[in-house]
Structure formats: C-alpha cells, structure tokens
Amino acid sequence: MTSTQNSAAQLDRYERGMALLQRIGGPAATAVIDSLADIAPDLGRLTVEFGYGDILSRQGLTLRQRQLATVGALAALGNAAPQLRFHLDGALNVGVTRTEIVETLIHASVYAGFPAALNGLTVAREVFAARTDLPAEPPAPSAPEGDRFARGSAALTEIDGHAGEQVVAALQDIAPDFARLLTEFAFGDIYSRPGLDLKSRELVTVAMCTALGVAPQLGVHIHGLLNVGGTEQEVVEVLIQMAGYAGFPAALNGITVARAVFAERKINQNSDV
C-alpha cells in the first residue's frame, strides 16, 4: 500500500468512525474528542478511528446490542461514570429503552455487586432526567412471583444448562446455602425479571464477565448465550468490543475462553450424532 493509499484508508476509518460517533452520541458526540485537543489530540483521533471506525462499525452485532454490552461492562467496572453517562445517552439514541437500561444495571448486581448497580442507576437517573425528548414508556413489568428456588432452578437449566448445574453441584460440599442463594437470587430474582430478554441478559453478562476478568464464569455464560439463541459470531464480537472498554488483555483472555467453549460444544455435538 502506498503512502497515499494509506492516508486514504486512515481518512476512511476516521470518517466512518466520526459518522458512527455522531449517530450514537448525538449533539454532544465530539465533546470528549474536543476536550483532548490541548493535551492528547492523537488519542482523540485514535478513539474515533479504532473505537468507532474499526470496532463499533463491525458487522455481527446491532448497535442496540453493542450499546447494551458497553453499558453493562462500564457499569460492572464501576470506575468510569463519565463514560457510562455517555453510553447511556448513546443507548437511548439507538433505540434501547429506559426499562432495558434499568434492567441491565440491576443485572450488574449479580456480577459486580450492589454498589456497582446502585452507582450505575444514579448515573441513569441523571441521564433520564435530562432527556426530555424521549417518548413515554409503559410501566415496567412486575417482578416475578412464586417459589424463587423453583423459578431459579428452571431458569438456570434453560440458560446455562450443564455448565450452570456443574457450578451449583460444586458448591454442595462446602457452601450449599450459597448454592441456594445463587439459584434464588441470580436466577430466580434477576434472570427471571421481565424487561430484558434472555439473549440480551446473557450478552450483557458476557461483556461484564470479560471486563471483570472472571474466566470460569465467562465460560459458563458463553455457553449460556449460545443456549438462548446467540451465535459464535456474536460471542466473538462482544469479546472484540471489550478491547476498547476493558483493554486488550481482557479481550484476549475472553477469546481464549471462547475457543475452549466452542471446541467443547463441537465435541459434544459430534458425540450426539
């Protein structure tokens, strides 16, 4: 590639990235880039070219899915409130509902703890209050009722299958009460909530576990995402996207876990034939 061709390719990446940044970020899209002009303008350019031109412009996930994954990861990390605020706005701009955002942040309580969920909801409250342009939404659906353990056990089996059952079984000899609490709260209370479909919940969970670097749990939930209708391509796209929000080591570790999960499932499928 000549220097002229290389410059054209760089410009194409920047233009593509800027167009997407403006679509997601709306009127305030370039505020962060502009704020870097006096200290690190190259970082601003790289953010546009790599983050938006290379990564978020990729096929394989919708913009709604990408924004939900980003919100989930940033909420779980708990150390990036300004960026979470920007991407909450961005999620609304690409069609994610307030109910879906709230459910994603409640979901974070399972994987990053209640402080992360509460802090994320504080940011969301501020974003929602400022967005007077949003249409009205129906009231959030009621939380599920009935036997929490039975509901959680059914959800665990549906979502994570054998991988999830292994996690619960491994706790029986040391912390059976924790196995019960995990089933009742994570799956009976949270995963069973309406307002966010199971595929979106698992996609968000994969993003959270990748960002937090919890490989065993990531493996379980890659299985889970595939079990509820996700594809291998969607798994890989979430992992690639996390390079921008949690760093390349987190993304690379996630890819290693995904490779093992895909291989295991292929072996199991072949043995069933």
Side-chain angles (χ1 to χ4, degrees):
M1 181 180 290
T2 67
S3 60
T4 300
Q5 289 172 323
N6 187 60
S7 297
Q10 290 292 103
L11 182 61
D12 181 60
R13 292 171 64 224
Y14 187 86
E15 290 179 341
R16 182 173 65 245
M18 182 57 72
L20 185 55
L21 173 60
Q22 290 172 334
R23 180 178 173 187
I24 292 172
T30 61
V32 174
I33 308 304
D34 295 341
S35 72
L36 294 169
D38 64 333
I39 185 169
D42 282 352
L43 180 59
R45 174 180 56 80
L46 291 167
T47 299
V48 174
E49 290 178 349
F50 177 73
Y52 291 84
D54 289 344
I55 301 301
L56 294 181
S57 296
R58 289 174 58 85
Q59 301 298 309
L61 290 174
T62 67
L63 282 182
R64 291 182 72 261
Q65 289 174 315
R66 289 197 180 278
Q67 285 303 108
L68 279 172
T70 300
V71 166
L74 292 175
L77 288 171
N79 59 4
Q83 290 75 23
L84 177 58
R85 181 176 290 105
F86 178 86
H87 286 286
L88 287 171
D89 253 324
L92 294 168
N93 290 338
V94 300
V96 179
T97 68
R98 282 164 286 187
T99 296
E100 289 171 326
I101 286 173
V102 168
E103 286 301 320
T104 297
L105 298 174
I106 291 174
H107 196 85
S109 65
V110 176
Y111 298 97
F114 279 85
L118 291 168
N119 290 343
L121 287 166
T122 296
V123 177
R125 179 184 289 110
E126 297 168 358
V127 170
F128 295 168
R131 292 295 298 266
T132 57
D133 60 309
L134 297 174
E137 289 185 20
S142 300
E145 298 178 351
D147 187 294
R148 297 169 63 229
F149 185 82
R151 183 172 64 243
S153 296
L156 174 63
T157 299
E158 176 184 2
I159 299 163
D160 292 335
H162 183 60
E165 292 167 358
Q166 284 182 313
V167 172
V168 172
L171 293 168
Q172 294 303 323
D173 64 335
I174 186 170
D177 283 350
F178 185 66
R180 175 180 54 79
L181 292 168
L182 170 65
T183 302
E184 290 177 345
F185 177 70
F187 291 90
D189 290 343
I190 303 300
Y191 269 92
S192 299
R193 289 176 59 84
L196 192 65
D197 63 88
L198 285 181
K199 182 177 174 180
S200 295
R201 286 192 183 276
E202 280 299 272
L203 185 144
V204 164
T205 302
V206 167
M208 291 179 181
C209 289
T210 304
L212 293 170
V214 287
Q217 291 74 25
L218 175 59
V220 169
H221 290 287
I222 289 175
H223 277 294
L225 178 52
L226 296 171
N227 289 341
V228 296
T231 66
E232 290 186 359
Q233 182 184 12
E234 288 172 324
V235 170
V236 171
E237 285 301 321
V238 174
L239 300 176
I240 292 173
Q241 184 172 325
M242 290 304 101
Y245 297 99
F248 275 83
L252 287 167
N253 291 342
I255 292 289
T256 298
V257 174
R259 179 183 288 112
V261 170
F262 297 167
E264 178 187 342
R265 292 174 75 91
K266 183 175 292 186
I267 291 170
N268 290 340
Q269 287 171 356
N270 290 339
S271 66
D272 291 338
V273 174

